Amino acid sequence: MAGGGFGPGPGAGKQYPGNLTPYVVITCVIAAMGGLIFGYDIGISGGVTSMDSFLEKFFPSVFRKQEAADLTNQYCKFNSQTLTMFTSSLYLAALCSSLVASTVTRKLGRKLSMLCGGVLFCLGALINGFAKAVWMLIVGRIFLGFGIGFANQSPDFGRALCEFDQDQDLTYDSWSVPLYLSEMAPYKYRGALNIGFQLSITIGILAANVLNYWFAKIKGGWGWRLSLGGAMVPALIITVGSLILPETPNSMIERGQSEEARHKLKRIRGIDNVDEEFNDLVAASEASSKVEHPWRNILQRKYRPHLTMAIAIPFFQQLTGINVIMFYAPVLFKTIGFGSDAALMSAVITGGVNVLATVVSIYYVDKLGRRFLFIQGGIQMLICQVCVAIFIAIKFGVDGHPGNLPKWYAIVVVLFICIYVAGFAWSWGPLGWLVPSEIFPLEIRSAAQSLNVSVNMVFTFIVAQVFLNMLCHLKFGLFLFFGFFVMVMTIFIYFFLPETKNIPIEEMVIVWKQHWFWSRFMTDVEYGNGHGSVELKSGRGDTYHKLSLVFMYQLHTENGELNVGKSKRNSAGFGNIFGPIKFNSVKMNG
């Protein structure tokens, strides 16, 4: 996903002891190269397609339209299906290779899969850097997409990432690097790392924009080769890194190497007392092996909320219009009258805003909640898109001939686009992946997360492919088109997405059962898992609430009040949500 990011929800789960060791830091930095690679590719394509030397060599028809500026409708001067295929082919290839990568990794292992990804990425960067024809550019982008699919999505790599925290259910596919970043670290550092992968993507985009700006100044017009070939740097890092990333305790447990797994866990945590976490890893491994038919499970009525969110959130995320900014920022700025240098510098500015706003999201996501950031970001994006549409309409009209553009006009347009990017970067960017990953229960997690990724990639490809054609036909109305969907998705979030902040995954069923709409699909769903339940009836005669009496919960009374909380095995439970509750009657079942 171009503008988006990945990562599990922070939750309020078990807090294992451990330190942020140099071993963990180095591992996380290497893993983050997957995001850097992805971000670099997002930012680099729009930059090189705004360079005159690149257009003249590979897309001469676009170059001629650009040179005949006074005679050309500015909305349509970059309209070329071949040009958009150069950008969008990567994302379709990434989706297809992800399916192959899952099978390869299951059979041959995580390290080989990551190594394949790094090698494919290096090959794609080389082909693009030495390209002589358009077909070489597209083939190179396809190899880059294959590399991204292998490097960032692999089932065994998912095991490596998920095994470090019992608060997160295990998953075996779908963009696992962010899970590595968030779960390799001890719990007290986990919140800041939840959106670490998204941050690495935005840094990759910014790096690409900065390099494009300077490489475009190289005399002789060959700077675009350095921009495209520069992707080899993060690719080489992740290729070498794949050879030194540690084996994981969970994979060792599955191969019967229990003592080696315990030793590895001690090294990762930097302490000797890892018994509790180690025992939970064993339990999690056993539980994951019992999950069957996730694709069949997700179609059940009780998972209707999860299925809806797995499709709607990535669909809406792409229709915010962010990808047209991240993919084509320099092209877009040239379309509305900026020179080449000014267009590239404006892209650098928006890339910088993207990074800073992502840092804001890291700080506030657990303080203000998901719904607040979703809704506030949506309103901010809507206002900015309407304003940009008005400004473009005033100067360009429908014929696309703006005349002279004053400096204040350029500043105002860039300002509103930056505010728009900021709104996305602290809302739909990271949360578009964080929220789905924290609402999927174990029995459907692999299928739901795969569906989430697939929908995102498909619409990333579609939006990237049709954007320039839509700009030509809808003109300034394109921003109103995306603004309409931002309005729809903000309303959707307000009415249909419950708050998931600080709620552990194993307790997430509560938010659906208490939701005004989704509760109708959850009538047959118990809070517990069949180990017995307790019905709690309030003095006002309210409906019974059932809580499972499983090993992780305990019930005790204090001063005539019934308190519901977790045992020391899991320190954050219903007590954190409801607090002390007074009941007139307690009925035990099972």
Side-chain angles (χ1 to χ4, degrees):
M1 201 290 297
F6 317 88
K14 182 179 296 185
Q15 300 177 347
Y16 297 116
N19 302 313
L20 188 61
T21 62
Y23 184 73
V24 170
V25 171
I26 294 173
T27 302
C28 286
V29 169
I30 294 173
M33 289 300 105
L36 193 63
I37 284 175
F38 195 36
Y40 188 87
D41 271 323
I42 291 167
I44 213 69
S45 58
V48 296
T49 52
S50 70
M51 297 181 186
D52 291 342
S53 57
F54 180 82
L55 292 175
E56 186 177 13
K57 182 174 182 62
F58 296 106
F59 306 97
S61 62
V62 175
F63 178 75
R64 287 193 295 269
K65 285 190 291 184
Q66 180 180 264
E67 289 299 293
D70 294 337
L71 303 176
T72 303
N73 185 325
Q74 296 298 300
Y75 293 120
C76 299
K77 67 180 182 180
F78 287 100
N79 186 23
S80 167
Q81 289 300 304
T82 308
L83 182 63
T84 53
M85 180 58 70
F86 164 70
T87 297
S88 64
S89 56
L90 181 146
Y91 305 98
L92 191 61
L95 174 61
C96 295
S97 69
S98 297
L99 304 177
V100 178
S102 296
T103 302
V104 170
T105 310
R106 286 190 185 96
K107 293 183 177 180
L108 302 179
R110 166 178 60 84
K111 287 192 173 185
L112 184 58
S113 180
M114 291 185 64
L115 180 62
C116 288
V119 170
L120 288 170
F121 207 92
C122 287
L123 181 60
L126 281 174
I127 293 175
N128 278 345
F130 291 99
K132 299 291 184 181
V134 174
W135 69 266
M136 292 182 69
L137 290 177
I138 295 177
V139 168
R141 292 286 286 182
I142 290 174
F143 274 108
L144 292 175
F146 288 160
I148 288 175
F150 272 89
N152 285 338
Q153 181 174 350
S154 60
D156 287 340
F157 195 34
R159 274 194 286 270
L161 317 184
C162 295
E163 68 184 34
F164 297 103
D165 184 9
Q166 183 66 9
D167 183 42
Q168 303 295 340
D169 290 322
L170 291 181
T171 181
Y172 295 107
D173 48 39
S174 301
W175 295 90
S176 301
V177 166
L179 295 176
Y180 202 114
L181 294 172
S182 64
E183 296 178 11
M184 271 291 286
Y187 74 92
K188 55 186 175 182
Y189 302 105
R190 189 172 295 130
L193 290 176
N194 269 323
I195 310 175
F197 187 69
Q198 163 70 1
L199 182 62
S200 68
I201 290 176
T202 60
I203 292 174
I205 294 172
L206 177 60
N209 290 334
V210 171
L211 292 176
N212 280 332
Y213 178 77
W214 291 109
F215 289 156
K217 296 179 177 295
I218 295 178
K219 294 181 179 180
W222 53 274
W224 59 268
R225 293 191 183 275
L226 294 179
S227 292
L228 295 176
M232 284 193 63
V233 175
L236 286 173
I237 294 175
I238 199 170
T239 300
V240 176
S242 67
L243 301 176
I244 62 176
L245 280 176
E247 286 292 339
T248 64
N250 196 62
S251 62
M252 293 179 176
I253 291 171
E254 291 180 347
R255 296 196 301 268
Q257 302 173 2
S258 297
E259 287 307 312
E260 291 89 339
R262 188 187 297 272
H263 176 74
K264 179 66 68 175
L265 188 59
K266 289 180 180 180
R267 185 181 181 191
I268 291 171
R269 294 298 179 229
I271 59 175
D272 292 328
N273 183 16
V274 295
D275 291 345
E276 184 180 14
E277 184 173 5
F278 177 77
N279 292 334
D280 283 347
L281 291 181
V282 174
S285 179
E286 294 174 352
S288 66
S289 65
K290 297 177 182 178
V291 176
E292 297 180 352
H293 311 301
W295 288 102
R296 186 185 304 172
N297 291 340
I298 200 174
L299 298 178
Q300 296 178 25
R301 177 180 172 86
K302 64 180 178 180
Y303 298 123
R304 200 65 49 80
H306 312 80
L307 178 62
T308 301
M309 295 301 167
I311 297 174
I313 289 180
F315 169 77
F316 283 138
Q317 187 187 53
Q318 293 311 303
L319 289 176
T320 58
I322 188 62
N323 282 340
V324 305
I325 303 296
M326 295 295 102
F327 291 153
Y328 299 112
V331 170
L332 182 62
F333 286 127
K334 288 190 74 172
T335 296
I336 59 178
F338 288 57
S340 294
D341 284 351
L344 290 171
M345 178 51 69
S346 299
V348 171
I349 294 172
T350 57
V353 170
N354 195 19
V355 173
L356 293 176
T358 303
V359 174
V360 172
S361 179
I362 291 174
Y363 182 78
Y364 283 109
V365 67
D366 292 325
K367 297 180 182 295
L368 300 178
R370 283 77 161 132
R371 280 173 51 85
F372 177 85
L373 291 180
F374 264 133
I375 295 171
Q376 186 280 330
I379 294 173
Q380 182 171 320
M381 287 189 292
L382 175 60
I383 293 173
C384 291
Q385 284 171 319
V386 171
C387 290
V388 170
I390 292 173
F391 279 112
I392 294 178
I394 291 174
K395 296 300 295 183
F396 286 80
V398 294
D399 59 1
H401 297 289
N404 294 324
L405 296 175
K407 186 175 182 179
W408 67 264
Y409 172 85
I411 294 175
V412 170
V413 170
V414 171
L415 176 63
F416 275 102
I417 288 180
C418 285
I419 297 174
Y420 161 79
V421 169
F424 176 86
W426 62 49
S427 63
W428 279 89
L431 299 183
W433 288 90
L434 188 151
V435 170
S437 72
E438 66 185 357
I439 65 173
F440 300 147
L442 175 62
E443 57 269 24
I444 64 166
R445 186 172 173 85
S446 61
Q449 187 72 352
S450 293
L451 180 62
N452 186 41
V453 172
S454 299
V455 171
N456 196 293
M457 280 292 160
V458 166
F459 281 95
T460 299
F461 167 77
I462 292 173
V463 170
Q465 183 63 32
V466 304
F467 164 66
L468 294 178
N469 189 264
M470 291 178 67
L471 178 63
C472 180
H473 290 88
L474 296 181
K475 303 174 174 58
F476 62 85
L478 179 61
F479 292 92
L480 299 178
F481 171 84
F482 287 121
F484 168 77
F485 279 100
V486 170
M487 180 181 66
V488 172
M489 67 183 70
T490 303
I491 295 173
F492 174 84
I493 292 296
Y494 181 82
F495 285 105
F496 295 106
L497 181 69
E499 181 56 65
T500 59
K501 179 186 69 171
N502 293 333
I503 300 178
I505 289 177
E506 67 269 15
E507 299 167 11
M508 198 63 69
V509 64
I510 300 171
V511 302
W512 303 113
K513 286 186 73 71
Q514 294 182 344
H515 191 268
W516 71 273
F517 180 79
W518 299 119
S519 59
R520 70 191 66 186
F521 299 99
M522 312 293 289
T523 54
D524 297 329
V525 180
E526 299 287 346
Y527 286 164
N529 60 357
H531 292 279
S533 63
V534 58
E535 294 185 359
L536 308 176
K537 189 173 183 180
S538 72
R540 298 188 303 272
D542 295 336
T543 305
Y544 281 101
H545 297 276
K546 292 184 178 181
L547 305 178
S548 174
L549 292 180
V550 293
F551 72 98
M552 67 188 71
Y553 296 108
Q554 62 180 3
L555 297 167
H556 60 279
T557 59
E558 293 179 359
N559 299 324
E561 296 181 351
L562 178 63
N563 288 313
V564 185
K566 284 190 177 180
S567 67
K568 61 182 180 180
R569 183 171 175 82
N570 202 338
S571 60
F574 291 110
N576 289 6
I577 304 170
F578 300 116
I581 313 171
K582 291 185 178 181
F583 294 95
N584 284 352
S585 65
V586 178
K587 182 169 66 175
M588 303 298 296
N589 298 319

